[in-house]
Amino acid sequence: MRRDIFQAIADPTRRAIILLIAVQAMTPNALAEHFDTTRQAISKHLKVLIQCELVKPQQQGRQIYYQLEVEKIDEIDHWLRQFRKIWESRFERLDDLLTTLKKQQQ
Amino acid sequence: MRRDIFQAIADPTRRAIILLIAVQAMTPNALAEHFDTTRQAISKHLKVLIQCELVKPQQQGRQIYYQLEVEKIDEIDHWLRQFRKIWESRFERLDDLLTTLKKQQQ
DNA sequence: GATTTGGGAAACCAGTCGGTTGTATTATAT
DNA sequence: ATATAATACAACCGACTGGTTTCCCAAATC
């Protein structure tokens, strides 16, 4: 299944998970305590975050600490920068954007 | 229905729409030409974008030009800044720990 | 006034999502 | 060796998503 970071951060629970593990790596149980859902639901969210490489599991005994892959957050930044670049030069070169978009779709 | 900007930009077609109208306001028909879907599908995407105030319709005769509400994009930036603040303060805490350890060695 | 054109709204469909419950697996503790 | 704890995995469910098709409305054109 195709996962991308924008889909990953679309869910508010996942955004909260990201902020939590930004402070320190955490286990599913520890994370679940901060939410009003089951541990299994959190596990599913973590699975999504792993699939788009935002998060990395680190086994430690029978516990699994999930830690953030910070660099991945830059992909959001990248899109924002692309957007701002377009916005700032919005009166020039619509054609350039169109060819860029076409390439990205391929 | 509760809409938020993160859900809005989760869809790749909507992200492309945002980039397109960042250059200039466009009508649904004009937008649809750039995608492999029907005008109605694009209209639905625009509806989502309107609901979370990323886009504003502007009637002009029987055509409706959709234009971007740029400031709204800042909400993404805001979350990123919040995230980075947390991430950086994590290292500050590490620094504190390290200086504490250093003091203890002296 | 009839026709065409730009666009919205509704009904429908298959696929996905976020959640639950239940079961399986593995590491620690007794 | 057995019990317990931490977690994954699978099946299921209702809600939502992105898409299509069909229909309707209003503005422009003839």
Side-chain angles (χ1 to χ4, degrees), chain B residues 24-67:
Chain B
Q24 59 181 28
M26 292 177 81
T27 66
N29 267 323
L31 278 168
E33 282 174 16
H34 294 98
F35 301 95
D36 193 22
T37 59
T38 59
R39 176 187 51 75
Q40 284 87 340
I42 301 296
S43 259
K44 276 184 149 192
H45 282 306
L46 286 169
K47 201 174 170 186
V48 173
L49 294 173
I50 289 170
Q51 279 172 350
C52 66
E53 298 176 303
L54 254 167
V55 143
K56 197 173 63 184
Q58 200 181 357
Q59 190 109 18
Q60 204 161 315
R62 72 177 158 185
Q63 291 181 317
I64 303 180
Y65 284 86
Y66 287 89
Q67 66 183 91

Side-chain angles (χ1 to χ4, degrees), chain A residues 27-29 39-40 43 62 66:
Chain A
T27 66
N29 267 325
R39 179 187 47 74
Q40 282 89 337
S43 259
R62 70 180 157 183
Y66 287 88

Side-chain angles (χ1 to χ4, degrees), chain A residues 1-16:
Chain A
M1 194 186 313
R2 183 78 195 93
R3 294 277 183 198
D4 77 64
I5 193 175
F6 290 98
Q7 196 212 326
I9 64 166
D11 184 84
T13 303
R14 282 199 290 269
R15 285 200 301 280

Side-chain angles (χ1 to χ4, degrees), chain A residues 26-74:
Chain A
M26 292 177 80
T27 66
N29 267 325
L31 278 168
E33 283 174 16
H34 292 96
F35 301 95
D36 193 24
T37 59
T38 59
R39 179 187 47 74
Q40 282 89 337
I42 300 296
S43 259
K44 275 185 149 193
H45 283 306
L46 286 169
K47 202 173 170 186
V48 172
L49 293 173
I50 290 169
Q51 279 172 350
C52 66
E53 298 176 307
L54 254 167
V55 143
K56 197 173 62 184
Q58 198 181 358
Q59 190 111 17
Q60 205 160 316
R62 70 180 157 183
Q63 291 181 316
I64 302 179
Y65 284 86
Y66 287 88
Q67 65 183 92
L68 201 64
E69 301 264 37
V70 216
E71 327 79 50
K72 204 69 181 179
I73 301 278
D74 291 340

